């Protein structure tokens, strides 16, 4: 694998495995052990900022649970050593922060998601160094109403689990332009409540500029109002993860997107905190 991991390179083949890959995450501030359930590069959304090459519309393929378990066990045996950290991680990131269901598409489209979670947690339990490590699901939330997904989330909740639930826009036009989906916001709201009721959940939001413009006030107002409504409805959210573009998009129209500066993002974070009372972690 590559000798030194960086926040700018989240290559899924860094470990030359089918389902397991390590990254250094800005949000994790350490090494994240990624679990890729979409090696076919298929997703049910098409986000404008996605870094997956050759992205296609679809779902995760059938997962060989034995292969995934073997890869994870072998990789954790390496990554939990000082030697691996010294060779592959920068000094400021020589710690395992989490095991994250992420990868090259929406992980909850895997039809055996609950069984996969069970296998992953069983492997994790065999490594004492992982006892306090988080298990994270990074998701667009579109499948959070499915019974097998909720079963997986409840299992995660028993093992220091956390859901990062994508809400990039609270308007129909914004969700179509940013996420390539026409799924109604009402469904996102219901799924957010379902996820948050099953497992500790944070809203995850990517912000960026397009065609030289920052997000409109109408978009920002709708987004903040959405969060306020969730708080009023007592959705048990734990916070917001706000982040900008760290790596270039590999999707059509990528040349139209640009990073927002830290001052703008921190300003939005303060606005969200003031309006909702939720803690916001922001990364430009």
């Amino acid at each position: 694998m590559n000798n030194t991991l960086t926040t700018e390179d989240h290559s899924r083949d860094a470990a030359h495995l089918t389902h397991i890959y390590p990254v250094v995450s800005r949000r994790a501030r350490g090494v994240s052990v990624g679990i890729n359930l979409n090696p076919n590069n298929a997703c049910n959304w098409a986000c404008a900022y996605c870094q997956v090459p050759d992205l296609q519309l679809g779902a995760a393929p059938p997962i060989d649970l034995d292969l995934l378990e073997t890869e994870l066990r072998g990789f954790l045996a390496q990554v939990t050593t000082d030697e691996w950290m010294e060779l592959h991680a920068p000094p400021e990131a020589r710690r395992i922060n989490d095991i994250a269901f992420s990868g090259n598409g929406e992980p909850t489209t895997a039809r055996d998601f609950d069984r996969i979670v069970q296998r992953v947690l069983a492997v994790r339990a065999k490594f004492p160094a992982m006892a306090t490590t988080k298990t994270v699901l990074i998701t667009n939330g579109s499948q959070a109403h499915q019974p097998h997904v909720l079963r997986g989330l409840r299992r995660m909740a028993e093992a220091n689990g956390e859901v990062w639930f994508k809400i990039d826009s609270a308007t129909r036009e914004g969700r179509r332009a940013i996420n390539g989906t026409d799924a109604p916001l009402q469904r996102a709201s219901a799924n957010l409540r379902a996820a948050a009721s099953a497992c500790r959940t944070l809203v995850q939001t990517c912000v960026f500029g397009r065609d030289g413009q920052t997000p409109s006030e109408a978009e920002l107002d709708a987004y903040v109002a959405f969060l306020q409504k969730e708080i009023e409805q007592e959705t048990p959210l734990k916070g917001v993860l706000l982040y900008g573009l760290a790596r270039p998009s590999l999707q059509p129209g990528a040349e139209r997107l640009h990073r927002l500066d830290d001052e703008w993002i921190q300003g939005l974070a303060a606005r969200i905190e003031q309006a909702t009372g939720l803690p916001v972690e922001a990364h430009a």
Side-chain angles (χ1 to χ4, degrees), residues 37-273:
L37 302 183
N38 304 74
N40 58 350
N41 294 1
C43 189
N44 60 344
W45 285 16
C47 296
Y49 53 80
C50 183
Q51 295 99 24
V52 174
D54 304 316
L55 184 70
Q56 59 181 307
L57 184 65
I63 303 298
D64 183 333
L65 299 183
D66 292 335
L67 173 63
L68 188 153
E69 182 175 329
T70 297
E71 288 189 349
L72 181 59
R73 185 185 300 111
F75 189 71
L76 290 183
Q78 297 178 55
V79 78
T80 52
T81 65
D82 292 339
E83 292 81 4
W84 189 95
M85 285 291 179
E86 290 173 3
L87 182 60
H88 298 294
E92 69 277 7
R94 288 177 180 166
R95 55 182 288 273
I96 303 175
N97 186 79
D98 58 51
I99 295 176
F101 293 98
S102 181
N104 288 12
E106 174 50 44
T108 61
T109 59
R111 65 188 182 192
D112 291 326
F113 181 74
D114 53 340
R115 296 176 60 204
I116 292 166
V117 170
Q118 187 172 15
R119 289 279 193 114
V120 167
L121 296 182
V123 172
R124 198 193 81 158
K126 297 180 184 299
F127 292 85
M130 305 291 292
T132 60
T133 301
K134 289 190 296 186
T135 304
V136 176
L137 168 65
I138 302 174
T139 178
N140 62 30
S142 61
Q143 306 302 304
H145 59 292
Q146 300 286 355
H148 70 289
V149 174
L150 288 172
R151 286 195 298 270
L153 297 188
R154 294 187 189 104
R155 287 195 171 109
M156 285 177 53
E158 297 170 357
N160 201 23
E162 195 167 272
V163 177
W164 296 358
F165 192 114
K166 183 192 302 291
I167 298 288
D168 292 326
S169 172
T171 70
R172 181 179 180 183
E173 297 76 16
R175 285 164 62 79
R176 183 181 296 146
I178 296 172
N179 305 124
T181 180
D182 283 316
L185 191 62
Q186 292 86 347
R187 168 56 67 184
S189 176
N191 283 3
L192 180 60
R193 287 195 293 276
S197 297
C199 186
R200 174 184 170 87
T201 296
L202 297 91
V203 167
Q204 176 188 242
T205 301
C206 181
V207 289
F208 56 90
R210 193 192 297 258
D211 296 330
Q213 302 295 315
T214 59
S216 70
E217 280 302 308
E219 273 290 319
L220 298 178
D221 286 344
Y223 173 81
V224 171
F226 173 83
L227 293 179
Q228 287 176 316
K229 185 176 181 180
E230 294 303 315
I231 297 301
E232 291 169 2
Q233 294 179 338
E234 299 184 348
T235 302
L237 298 176
K238 300 303 181 183
V240 175
L241 300 173
L242 190 64
Y243 68 105
L245 299 179
R247 302 174 303 281
S249 168
L250 296 180
Q251 306 313 310
E255 71 284 352
R256 300 174 58 196
L257 311 185
H258 66 88
R259 294 182 68 172
L260 300 172
D261 61 38
D262 185 64
E263 182 179 2
W264 191 97
I265 291 178
Q266 294 298 334
L268 177 57
R271 178 175 174 178
I272 294 168
E273 287 184 339

Side-chain angles (χ1 to χ4, degrees), residues 2 9-23 34-39 41 50-53 71 102-105 138 247:
N2 300 332
D9 183 5
H10 282 198
S11 174
R12 307 304 196 239
D13 61 1
H16 306 294
L17 299 170
T18 300
H19 295 294
I20 308 302
Y21 64 99
V23 297
I35 298 179
N36 183 13
L37 302 183
N38 304 74
N41 294 1
C50 183
Q51 295 99 24
V52 174
E71 288 189 349
S102 181
N104 288 12
I138 302 174
R247 302 174 303 281

